[in-house]
Amino acid sequence: MSTADLATARTGRVLLGAFAVATAADLGALLAGWHLGHVIAKPLLMPLLVAYVVTRRAPRLLVAALLFGWCGDLALLFDADPAFLIGMGSFAAGHVCYLVLFGRGRTSPALGGAYALALVGTVALLWGDLPADLRIPVAGYSLLLTAMAYRSSALGRTAGIGGALFLLSDTLIATGVADWPQLPRPDFWIMATYLAAQYLLAAGALTPVRAYRREVIQD
């Protein structure tokens, strides 16, 4: 490994560590009910993860997906319906990037059936409790999100778990919008599952890149 490669790897470890610190700060602020701490930490999260994956020569679609996630994060800092719709649109664009990134790799039909049942059941249960003007957008977004979660398994178990956690995180948001009973500190659980999802999706997307490089070096 060259000196430049060593320096890049070292920078990547520092950035990943910074992402971990920012994640701990954000989740700690949510647990403590310190809104200002959340407002400060949340905008740092996806840029740090993006910077890390860039040092790993991540696919552009992964970088784009994470940046769209960042835009969604910023929008959801504002408690208003237009901001919610903007955030949902940003995350939807990120899911499209992920779907293209996942390509046509094999996935389990049984898993697809389970996700389809989860989608239909969740939308049916939430439908009557959602604000009327959000029902169609939420249903459309849920379809795209579920497709992303299902197709994420094409990159392996790590990405597959990340996709499932993303679905769980956004389902928790939807139950809040529907005014269902919530867990204590619901924002903590939403962010914890979301951040784990984005990291695992990124890690899963980087694994094929590393495997390809090993093959090239061996050849």
Side-chain angles (χ1 to χ4, degrees):
M1 184 178 290
S2 68
T3 302
D5 288 338
L6 286 172
T8 300
R10 190 178 303 113
T11 300
R13 288 193 293 270
V14 170
L15 289 167
L16 186 58
F19 171 71
V21 170
T23 295
D26 186 54
L27 296 180
L30 290 172
L31 279 177
W34 184 33
H35 181 66
L36 179 59
H38 175 59
V39 170
I40 293 171
K42 187 178 183 182
L44 302 175
L45 294 164
M46 288 304 106
L48 287 170
L49 187 55
V50 166
Y52 163 68
V53 302
V54 166
T55 67
R56 307 298 296 270
R57 301 178 187 175
R60 291 180 181 178
L61 283 168
L62 173 59
V63 173
L66 294 173
L67 288 176
F68 278 122
W70 180 50
C71 293
D73 290 345
L74 296 179
L76 293 184
L77 284 173
F78 300 92
D79 187 15
D81 285 349
F84 179 78
L85 289 172
I86 291 171
M88 188 163 57
S90 296
F91 286 118
H95 296 327
V96 172
C97 292
Y98 275 130
L99 282 168
V100 178
L101 176 63
F102 299 152
R104 298 181 180 180
R106 292 183 180 180
T107 48
S108 165
L111 181 63
Y115 270 121
L117 288 174
L119 170 65
V120 172
T122 301
V123 172
L125 288 170
L126 288 170
W127 186 265
D129 295 326
L130 290 170
D133 58 336
L134 291 180
R135 288 172 182 168
I136 298 299
V138 168
Y141 175 80
S142 297
L143 176 60
L144 182 59
L145 170 62
T146 304
M148 185 282 294
Y150 167 52
R151 290 295 303 153
S152 65
S153 61
L155 293 186
R157 183 177 299 176
T158 297
I161 294 172
L165 287 174
F166 213 135
L167 179 61
L168 174 59
S169 178
D170 281 5
T171 300
L172 291 175
I173 293 176
T175 61
V177 174
D179 202 25
W180 283 16
Q182 299 291 296
L183 295 168
R185 300 295 184 191
D187 288 348
F188 169 83
W189 299 108
I190 290 168
M191 283 303 296
T193 49
Y194 165 70
L195 291 172
Q198 290 283 41
Y199 172 75
L200 291 172
L201 284 167
L206 291 173
T207 299
V209 175
R210 292 196 298 270
Y212 171 76
R213 287 188 189 134
R214 285 195 296 269
E215 290 175 5
V216 170
I217 291 171
Q218 289 171 359
D219 291 344

